[in-house]
Amino acid sequence: MHKHIKLTLIFLTGVFQFAIAQEEEKDDIGTETVTVTKAYTPTINDAFKIKTMPDLNDSIVLQKKKINYSIFSVPVASTFTPAKGKASAVKKTPPPVLYNSYASAGVGNPANLMGKFYTSRTIDRESGYTLGLEHNSSRADIDGVALDNIYSNSRLDAGYTRRDSDFDWGVDVGAQHQLYNWYGIPDATFTEETVDGIDERQNYYMAEASGHINVEDSYFENAKLEYRRFWDAVKSGENRAVFNTGFSFPVADEDFRVKAKVDYVNGSFENSSLNNPTNTPEMNYSNLQVGINPSLALVNEDFSLNLGVNLVYGLDAENSDSNFYIYPAVTASYRLLDDMAIVYGGVEGDLMQNSYYGFVEDNPYVSPTLTTVPTDKKYDAYIGLKGQILPNLSYNAKVSYTTEDRKALYKLNARNDSRTDEKGYYYGNSFEVFYDDVKTIGAFGELNVDVNRNFSLGVNVEYFNYNTETDNPAWNLPNLTSSLFMDYQIGEKWYAGANLFYVGERDDVATIASASGNPADFFATPVTLDAYFDANFHVGYRWNDQLSFFVKVANIANNNYQRYTNYPVQGLQVMGGLTYKFDL
């Protein structure tokens, strides 16, 4: 009994102590520090391996037989030697070297001289300027001509341009001097004393300035203002100012454009018409034109049509006369067979402003006694066919019908023995401007051949049939003209070219003035100028990228043909020279 009580007390005491230990453990588990004195390095013992292969004494195991091989060698004769492969390289063409300047000079017979200089330089990324100078002259005498026939033409041009983000603008200036002689006196017409007393020299001077602006992404597209002063050695002078501008407006998917112009020219000649027996009165002119040209362009892949009208107001301020003109301005084109055949046509007209400067550019032997009025080109109707038959062969053919009132024609001035002007242009050796109403039927054909990038050839023929209001011939206008040109690049160093042209017969009339001053009373002799053919050739050699040499041959046939009545040209002319490119 006592034993059981004792065991029960011991059990309860143990349980009580365990419960107290659990409570203490819950309150604080304590901390311990573990120090590692050596990293754990496990090792693997070798597995048991069979050291020798066991012997199989089994009757079913096949025994391997020893096999002996022998090689029978036979020599083979061969001449083949393999070559090492090499990738082919594409030969690069070096880019051309560009220079901003060049100078050219040439000299030849008969005492001809030529010189050119041009430079184009940039000031910064947005602006730059250009400068050009050109001179041509000859101091030789033409066979069979009694008067001095030297000439000289010098011109200077300079310009400045600047481009901004959405527009560009620029200014240009120019000056020119020309020297010519009224040397067209027929042989054995005047005595030697009279010829020696003639002052046949004429000098022309010109100065001009212009400014322009072009705008992108705007209704206003462009504007240009030009002014030119032109005068000569006998106190003739002319001023001309021209202003042009253009606007563009989108209309649905089409383009509506409006062009406007103001063209004013005025001038004076101190000398009177050579039809007058005395050098009075002086001749003055003042012509103003104000025009507007609205048009609508309809364009698709194969067809284009431009519908417009040209409205012009013309004022002759000197005679207090004004008129309003309405001209058609319609053009169209249609692709029949892609680029092989394109039909085009149009009906256009305009009031053409004539000027003393323009007359001299066409014929430097005019007298300083000209009547200057505008030409009324009522319409020029034409239809043509052009295209590219082969990749290197293109063509163009056209027929036209033109009606012009007051068309300017060059006619030989009357010989007026009663005049004593300062300059000797009244001996039947100068030209006047004769105005006539002319209807012209024309036909034109052209072929261009580009055999390759080094050879090109072109030929054209043009025929005219004139019908004048006065029943006179269309003075000094040919019925047939033709030209041929050729350019050939011979290798990298040599180049050559040729230019041939033909001009048909022309009509003129030689008259002698009478005291009445009425041209109907003048003694007249019809003159027919022979057709002429002129051939020119040039060849050049490029020494390097900068230096090249050239030889030019003009009038190879050595024919002293007459471009105008009593004005024979120089015969065979040979000129040699060089051109040098460089950077300034």
Side-chain angles (χ1 to χ4, degrees):
M1 181 69 179
H2 290 287
K3 183 178 179 180
H4 289 288
I5 294 172
K6 184 178 181 179
L7 289 172
T8 301
L9 291 173
I10 293 171
F11 175 76
L12 292 174
T13 302
V15 172
F16 179 75
Q17 289 177 349
F18 178 78
I20 293 173
Q22 290 298 317
E23 286 294 326
E24 292 176 355
E25 185 176 349
K26 289 181 180 178
D27 295 336
D28 187 5
I29 63 175
T31 59
E32 292 184 3
T33 300
V34 179
T35 302
V36 179
T37 60
K38 183 179 179 180
Y40 174 68
T41 306
T43 59
I44 300 175
N45 292 329
D46 288 341
F48 174 75
K49 299 179 181 178
I50 299 175
K51 303 298 182 182
T52 59
M53 292 295 293
D55 292 333
L56 297 177
N57 294 323
D58 195 341
S59 61
I60 66 173
V61 177
L62 297 176
Q63 300 293 325
K64 293 182 179 180
K65 292 183 179 181
K66 185 178 181 180
I67 301 174
N68 296 323
Y69 296 93
S70 62
I71 298 174
F72 180 69
S73 299
V74 177
V76 177
S78 176
T79 60
F80 173 73
T81 303
K84 295 181 179 180
K86 184 179 180 181
S88 60
V90 178
K91 186 178 180 181
K92 296 182 179 180
T93 302
V97 180
L98 302 178
Y99 300 93
N100 63 17
S101 308
Y102 79 88
S104 183
V107 62
N109 76 304
N112 293 344
L113 182 65
M114 181 275 293
K116 291 182 181 180
F117 169 78
Y118 177 82
T119 184
S120 176
R121 302 193 64 186
T122 58
I123 300 173
D124 50 40
R125 296 182 59 182
E126 290 80 24
S127 61
Y129 68 90
T130 60
L131 179 66
L133 176 64
E134 184 174 357
H135 173 81
N136 286 281
S137 63
S138 176
R139 305 194 67 83
D141 288 330
I142 300 175
D143 294 338
V145 174
L147 297 175
D148 195 359
N149 50 78
I150 67 173
Y151 76 89
S152 174
N153 188 351
S154 302
R155 185 179 178 97
L156 173 67
D157 291 286
Y160 171 82
T161 58
R162 182 176 179 84
R163 181 170 184 83
D164 290 308
S165 59
D166 53 359
F167 70 95
D168 66 88
W169 61 276
V171 294
D172 298 277
V173 295
Q176 185 180 24
H177 169 248
Q178 301 177 77
L179 184 153
Y180 287 92
N181 291 273
W182 291 292
Y183 65 86
I185 291 180
D187 289 336
T189 303
F190 300 96
T191 64
E192 184 176 352
E193 182 181 359
T194 300
V195 172
D196 292 340
I198 297 176
D199 182 3
E200 70 275 21
R201 182 162 300 183
Q202 170 67 301
N203 286 275
Y204 300 109
Y205 306 92
M206 185 274 293
E208 62 183 357
S210 66
H212 70 271
I213 183 172
N214 301 305
V215 182
E216 298 178 359
D217 301 326
S218 173
Y219 295 140
F220 169 70
E221 286 190 323
N222 54 64
K224 185 176 183 180
L225 176 63
E226 302 173 89
Y227 171 76
R228 180 175 58 235
R229 171 66 180 175
F230 183 69
W231 69 101
D232 63 17
V234 289
K235 300 180 181 179
S236 307
E238 178 182 81
N239 300 287
R240 186 175 184 182
V242 181
F243 175 74
N244 288 281
T245 187
F247 300 85
S248 178
F249 307 93
V251 178
D253 294 332
E254 312 303 339
D255 191 14
F256 180 72
R257 294 177 179 271
V258 178
K259 297 180 180 179
K261 72 170 184 179
V262 178
D263 189 343
Y264 177 71
V265 60
N266 82 305
S268 64
F269 295 101
E270 191 173 87
N271 300 283
S272 178
S273 168
L274 286 177
N275 294 332
N276 298 343
T278 59
N279 193 9
T280 55
E282 66 177 24
M283 307 176 68
N284 301 309
Y285 57 95
S286 178
N287 299 308
L288 172 67
Q289 295 180 14
V290 179
I292 184 171
N293 172 217
S295 64
L296 179 65
L298 309 174
V299 180
N300 60 27
E301 184 176 355
D302 296 322
F303 177 74
S304 67
L305 175 63
N306 188 78
L307 298 173
V309 63
N310 192 10
L311 308 174
V312 182
Y313 171 77
L315 171 65
D316 183 351
E318 189 66 27
N319 298 307
S320 301
D321 184 23
S322 63
N323 286 284
F324 185 74
Y325 303 86
I326 302 177
Y327 300 103
V330 180
T331 61
S333 67
Y334 179 71
R335 293 180 182 270
L336 290 177
L337 298 171
D338 293 330
D339 291 336
M340 292 184 61
I342 301 173
V343 178
Y344 66 94
V347 181
E348 300 176 276
D350 200 0
L351 187 63
M352 312 296 295
Q353 188 79 284
N354 292 315
S355 66
Y356 185 29
Y357 175 80
F359 293 145
V360 170
E361 289 294 291
D362 290 340
N363 183 352
Y365 309 111
V366 293
S367 63
T369 60
L370 305 179
T371 301
T372 306
V373 296
T375 296
D376 178 14
K377 181 185 285 188
K378 293 184 176 298
Y379 60 86
D380 177 13
Y382 58 90
I383 185 170
L385 181 67
K386 63 182 179 179
Q388 195 164 351
I389 303 175
L390 299 172
N392 57 359
L393 177 62
S394 62
Y395 69 94
N396 186 12
K398 181 180 72 171
V399 294
S400 62
Y401 181 78
T402 307
T403 297
E404 297 170 283
D405 289 352
R406 303 188 303 273
K407 182 178 178 64
L409 306 172
Y410 299 108
K411 173 178 165 291
L412 198 64
N413 260 318
R415 170 185 164 185
N416 195 330
D417 295 334
S418 63
R419 294 285 285 265
T420 58
D421 299 13
E422 178 184 355
K423 295 288 184 176
Y425 51 79
Y426 49 88
Y427 295 91
N429 57 334
S430 64
F431 294 85
E432 66 172 315
V433 175
F434 181 87
Y435 294 95
D436 204 343
D437 297 345
V438 182
K439 295 179 174 63
T440 307
I441 298 175
F444 172 80
E446 182 180 43
L447 283 175
N448 289 287
V449 181
D450 293 323
V451 178
N452 52 48
R453 61 183 299 178
N454 295 326
F455 181 78
S456 61
L457 177 69
V459 60
N460 64 70
V461 179
E462 197 162 10
Y463 171 78
F464 303 98
N465 181 272
Y466 305 102
N467 182 15
T468 64
E469 182 69 19
T470 60
D471 291 331
N472 291 317
W475 305 119
N476 278 294
L477 291 181
N479 291 101
L480 182 66
T481 63
S482 178
S483 64
L484 180 147
F485 68 87
M486 178 186 68
D487 287 302
Y488 184 33
Q489 180 68 42
I490 311 170
E492 296 182 357
K493 297 290 186 179
W494 290 90
Y495 62 91
N499 187 314
L500 298 84
F501 58 90
Y502 171 85
V503 177
E505 291 184 348
R506 289 132 295 136
D507 292 309
D508 205 338
V509 60
T511 57
I512 300 177
S514 64
S516 66
N518 184 5
D521 300 332
F522 294 176
F523 177 78
T525 303
V527 177
T528 299
L529 299 176
D530 294 334
Y532 63 86
F533 177 83
D534 199 338
N536 307 280
F537 175 78
H538 70 269
V539 63
Y541 177 77
R542 294 185 178 90
W543 182 269
N544 52 37
D545 290 338
Q546 292 183 267
L547 181 62
S548 61
F549 302 91
F550 64 85
V551 174
K552 297 181 179 180
V553 183
N555 198 357
I556 296 176
N558 195 25
N559 181 15
N560 294 105
Y561 59 83
Q562 295 186 19
R563 174 65 183 87
Y564 292 103
T565 306
N566 299 327
Y567 278 87
V569 301
Q570 292 181 354
L572 178 67
Q573 304 161 56
V574 180
M575 175 178 286
L578 57 85
T579 299
Y580 183 70
K581 302 176 183 178
F582 56 96
D583 283 325
L584 277 180

